[in-house]
Amino acid sequence: MTAESPTQTVRRLFPLLAEGKSAEAAALFADSVSFSIPHPPGIPWVPEVDSADGMRTFFELLQAHVRAKEFDLRQVIAEGEDVVLIGRMVSEVKQTGRDIDTAFALHTTVRDGRITRYHLYEDTHAVARAYFGD
């Protein structure tokens, strides 16, 4: 049996998140994770993360505060252990009812079948506007 490619590993993440399976999604991550999501101070769903357990906390916080509405994966670029996903997503902030509509790039790295990097780049102004208002 052939080992799963880094792209296949990363692609398994999104259906699990869509189904609300935080524990199963977190199980795709290594014990040590490089996590980065630049964000405005005060956004409650972006904790400090450095492990698979931290990823589970992040996914649970995200589900508690944000409702996914659209996820359009437009391009996947893979080279070696690195997989970069480019797309657009729309999410509703539950507290305010306002949408975050943003293009995104997600840089992941997969080593030994586990995700070791999760660096998400999105429109932080759109995030702030949806959570804090104008």
Side-chain angles (χ1 to χ4, degrees), residues 28-131:
L28 296 174
F29 288 80
D31 291 338
S32 179
V33 176
S34 174
F35 175 87
S36 176
I37 301 178
H39 61 283
I43 298 296
W45 59 84
V46 185
E48 294 293 320
V49 173
D50 64 2
S51 65
D53 194 45
M55 290 304 299
R56 180 179 182 167
T57 299
F58 165 61
F59 295 141
E60 289 171 350
L61 285 169
L62 192 62
Q63 290 170 2
H65 292 278
V66 177
R67 183 178 67 84
K69 293 172 83 173
E70 295 178 38
F71 183 81
D72 180 18
L73 184 57
R74 295 182 178 166
Q75 188 173 12
V76 177
I77 304 165
E79 185 173 319
E81 299 174 327
D82 291 308
V83 180
V84 176
L85 300 102
I86 298 170
R88 179 180 161 268
M89 58 186 165
V90 179
S91 305
E92 178 186 337
V93 176
K94 292 178 180 179
Q95 178 177 319
T96 65
R98 291 187 289 261
D99 285 348
I100 303 167
D101 187 341
T102 181
F104 73 88
L106 174 62
H107 179 192
T108 63
T109 301
V110 179
R111 291 195 178 107
D112 299 321
R114 295 284 181 248
I115 301 169
T116 61
R117 177 194 330 249
Y118 186 97
H119 291 194
L120 178 68
Y121 306 94
E122 61 186 347
D123 182 348
T124 57
H125 184 259
V127 173
R129 198 171 56 246
Y131 186 70

